[in-house]
Amino acid sequence: MNKITTPDDLEVDDYGPLYAAHKKVYPQSVAGTFRSIKWKLMAVCLGIYYFLPFIRWNRGVGAPSQAVLVDLPNSRFYFFFIELWPQEVYYFTGLLILAALTLFLMNAVGGRIWCGYLCPQTVWTDLFYAVERLIEGDRRERMKKDAEGYTLQGCSEIVLKHSIWIMIAWWTGGAWVLYFNDAPTLVKELVTFQAPTLAYIWIVILTFTTYVLAGFMREQVCVYMCPWPRIQAALTDEWALNVTYKYDRGEERISLKKALERQSHGETVGDCIDCRQCVAVCPTGIDIRDGAQLSCIQCGLCIDACDTVMTKIGRPTRLIGYDNDINIQRRLAGRSEIFKLIRPRTIVYAALIAGVGSVMLYALLTRSLLDINVLHDRNPIAVKLSDGSIRNAYTVRLLNKRGFDRTIAIDVEGVSGAVAHVVGVDSITPDRPAIVLGRDQTTELRVLVTAKPAGELPKSTPLTFRVTDIGLGEAASATDNFVTP
């Protein structure tokens, strides 16, 4: 027993537990508009995740043919026609910003629709629930079997259910590692036990996490582990559409039999008959009629359940629906409903998404596939030769992002009479060296720049290195300094 002090300095006994014990949820199957949407989105999401690694994309001879590939050994990321290098990690930053803004926009329009329809935890939990219902039956059958304890039939169903769960979880982990190596090759290696040890380790880890999170923790992940419910509450506003019980129409709750009796006497009753079907189908086990709650993932299944009941008893549907408190108050005041999907908040989010997306697209379309970096030698920083010329040495790194070899010419600009010489490479002309850059490679060169001053040179002069693809005319440049001793 704990003692707590109230603001009035009165001691009272606090018998409440610090942690609410978990109660197993038995969601009932339901059919309807939102359930159909969830089935279709589940099929699309799982189809993309499981089969995308097997899609082929021709990038030329010697290049990987997997459409989506994270090539860690070669530090590349391939997405169909896009190839990203480590230097282009800012594209991933842009994608994360776009994902966050899209999530904010979804929240501003329809609350936690991400949680209810697209979140991986929701998708895989739905899949595990479908397997459970197929083998053990619907809500009442599962509750009855749990109450009866272990029986021979019950144990065989449990073994079959968990076997299928483990197979799904195993393929989930297996599909993940396929994004990091050629999928058909890795599948063959996994089957013949010739795959890298790291692949098996990650499959075991992801199999375990999928099995535990989707098979056992389920709604607890959404309620206790996920930070998004707490974050989205600070980002929403009064116009966001959330799954809402329309108490202006549903109250006073009364059973159908009593409602018909009271209506026969001319009394007005609410449409809610307290059948609790909205609670039975809820994957987190809450009662939506209690108002907005942290545990509600906005999946809309309670809408389908309520619509089914309303249709059976001949009352209007959407007693539960996507709505907001503003419309409830307007209906109570006898005014018409109003929906503001387009408002300053959504306009700002949409504009930011368009802006960031446009910048990323422009950068992607105009990016150079030839790059150069220059590093000046520090010891010695400059050398004066016997004929009076001054020589500076540089380390030049060239990057060819194309899928074929290229002949590159190197020029220097900014210092009068400066001539570049690449150590170990012949020149096209006495003052213009050229090299062959291998496809999809980085090449490091040692370049000596010599200048014989006609007069006195400044202590430091900007020097531009320009590299040009002789065949395509594509060019790139970098600037350093030419220093006098």
Side-chain angles (χ1 to χ4, degrees):
M1 180 177 68
N2 301 318
K3 294 286 188 179
I4 63 174
T5 303
T6 67
D8 297 326
D9 295 328
L10 297 176
E11 285 193 346
V12 296
D13 292 335
D14 176 23
Y15 292 96
L18 296 178
Y19 173 76
H22 174 248
K23 296 180 180 179
K24 187 174 181 179
V25 179
Y26 299 86
Q28 181 175 303
S29 63
V30 63
T33 302
F34 297 98
R35 179 66 267 182
S36 297
I37 293 174
K38 284 173 66 66
W39 284 131
K40 293 173 183 176
L41 288 177
M42 179 197 295
V44 171
C45 293
L46 293 177
I48 292 174
Y49 177 76
Y50 287 129
F51 298 108
L52 185 58
F54 295 97
I55 298 178
R56 303 290 94 186
W57 189 267
N58 184 13
R59 296 187 179 91
V61 180
S65 60
Q66 188 162 311
V68 180
L69 176 66
V70 182
D71 189 359
L72 293 179
N74 296 307
S75 301
R76 301 287 187 278
F77 173 72
Y78 298 95
F79 185 82
F80 293 92
F81 63 90
I82 299 173
E83 177 184 350
L84 298 182
W85 288 57
Q87 299 91 330
E88 298 170 320
V89 68
Y90 49 83
Y91 284 108
F92 295 103
T93 304
L95 286 175
L96 290 175
I97 294 173
L98 282 178
L101 291 173
T102 302
L103 199 58
F104 297 163
L105 179 60
M106 293 170 66
N107 175 65
V109 172
R112 292 172 60 186
I113 52 177
W114 161 263
C115 300
Y117 299 92
L118 296 171
C119 175
Q121 174 65 17
T122 299
V123 171
W124 265 275
T125 299
D126 261 359
L127 180 60
F128 275 46
Y129 269 135
V131 172
E132 188 172 62
R133 292 191 188 101
L134 180 65
I135 296 172
E136 296 183 344
D138 211 342
R139 171 182 166 86
R140 292 184 179 179
E141 287 82 355
R142 298 201 306 277
M143 294 175 67
K144 181 180 179 182
K145 290 174 182 177
D146 282 357
E148 290 175 350
Y150 294 106
T151 63
L152 181 61
Q153 179 182 353
C155 288
S156 63
E157 290 177 349
I158 291 174
V159 170
L160 178 60
K161 176 184 71 175
H162 284 275
S163 299
I164 297 176
W165 279 2
I166 292 174
M167 289 177 61
I168 294 172
W170 171 80
W171 184 238
T172 300
W176 176 255
V177 301
L178 298 182
Y179 286 92
F180 296 85
N181 206 330
D182 183 68
T185 303
L186 186 56
V187 168
K188 182 178 178 181
E189 291 176 347
L190 289 170
V191 172
T192 57
F193 299 100
Q194 297 176 346
T197 304
L198 193 60
Y200 291 107
I201 292 174
W202 276 108
I203 290 175
V204 170
I205 291 173
L206 293 170
T207 298
F208 175 77
T209 54
T210 304
Y211 176 66
V212 171
L213 295 181
F216 296 93
M217 298 189 69
R218 295 178 171 177
E219 76 284 350
Q220 296 178 79
V221 175
C222 306
V223 177
Y224 298 109
M225 295 176 61
C226 181
W228 178 236
R230 286 86 179 165
I231 297 172
Q232 71 92 27
L235 295 173
T236 192
D237 62 9
E238 67 275 15
W239 291 105
L241 298 178
N242 293 286
V243 175
T244 305
Y245 167 64
K246 301 174 183 178
Y247 57 83
D248 58 304
R249 175 187 146 192
E251 301 296 325
E252 163 188 10
R253 305 175 197 172
I254 189 172
S255 68
L256 180 60
K257 182 178 180 181
K258 291 182 178 179
L260 294 175
E261 182 179 344
R262 290 176 59 174
Q263 284 176 335
S264 66
H265 292 87
E267 298 181 33
T268 302
V269 296
D271 281 343
C272 180
I273 60 173
D274 206 19
C275 63
R276 295 185 62 83
Q277 285 300 297
C278 55
V279 180
V281 302
C282 180
T284 60
I286 66 167
D287 190 339
I288 191 62
R289 298 173 298 175
D290 293 338
Q293 298 162 68
L294 187 70
S295 302
C296 179
I297 62 172
Q298 307 281 310
C299 62
L301 296 182
C302 54
I303 302 177
D304 288 336
C306 187
D307 283 354
T308 301
V309 173
M310 291 296 106
T311 301
K312 288 181 178 179
I313 64 176
R315 294 182 181 178
T317 58
R318 292 298 189 268
L319 174 59
I320 301 174
Y322 279 94
D323 203 354
N324 53 50
D325 284 337
I326 290 179
N327 280 331
I328 291 179
Q329 298 304 320
R330 290 179 65 89
R331 288 193 295 268
L332 287 172
R335 301 162 66 187
S336 61
E337 297 177 335
I338 183 171
F339 297 95
K340 287 188 177 181
L341 298 181
I342 300 176
R343 55 190 191 276
R345 181 186 294 260
T346 57
I347 292 173
V348 169
Y349 288 150
L352 288 174
I353 291 171
V356 174
S358 298
V359 169
M360 288 182 60
L361 182 61
Y362 175 79
L364 186 64
L365 294 177
T366 59
R367 67 175 179 156
S368 173
L369 298 180
L370 178 65
D371 200 6
I372 178 174
N373 289 287
V374 178
L375 181 64
H376 198 294
D377 278 9
R378 297 302 178 190
N379 189 21
I381 195 167
V383 176
K384 189 171 185 177
L385 304 179
S386 58
D387 63 354
S389 301
I390 299 172
R391 173 175 291 172
N392 285 203
Y394 303 85
T395 299
V396 177
R397 182 169 293 173
L398 301 179
L399 180 61
N400 177 17
K401 298 179 183 178
R402 290 195 180 274
F404 49 83
D405 296 347
R406 304 206 276 183
T407 302
I408 303 297
I410 303 175
D411 300 289
V412 290
E413 305 168 355
V415 177
S416 178
V419 177
H421 172 69
V422 179
V423 177
V425 175
D426 295 329
S427 301
I428 300 176
T429 63
D431 59 349
R432 197 184 196 204
I435 67 165
V436 175
L437 274 183
R439 67 181 188 84
D440 202 32
Q441 287 184 7
T442 299
T443 301
E444 190 172 283
L445 308 171
R446 182 167 175 77
V447 179
L448 306 177
V449 178
T450 307
K452 188 171 184 178
E456 187 176 351
L457 283 175
K459 186 66 178 176
S460 179
T461 305
L463 180 68
T464 300
F465 288 79
R466 186 176 302 279
V467 291
T468 306
D469 185 324
I470 295 177
L472 299 176
E474 187 176 358
S477 63
T479 301
D480 207 297
N481 291 303
F482 186 86
V483 182
T484 58

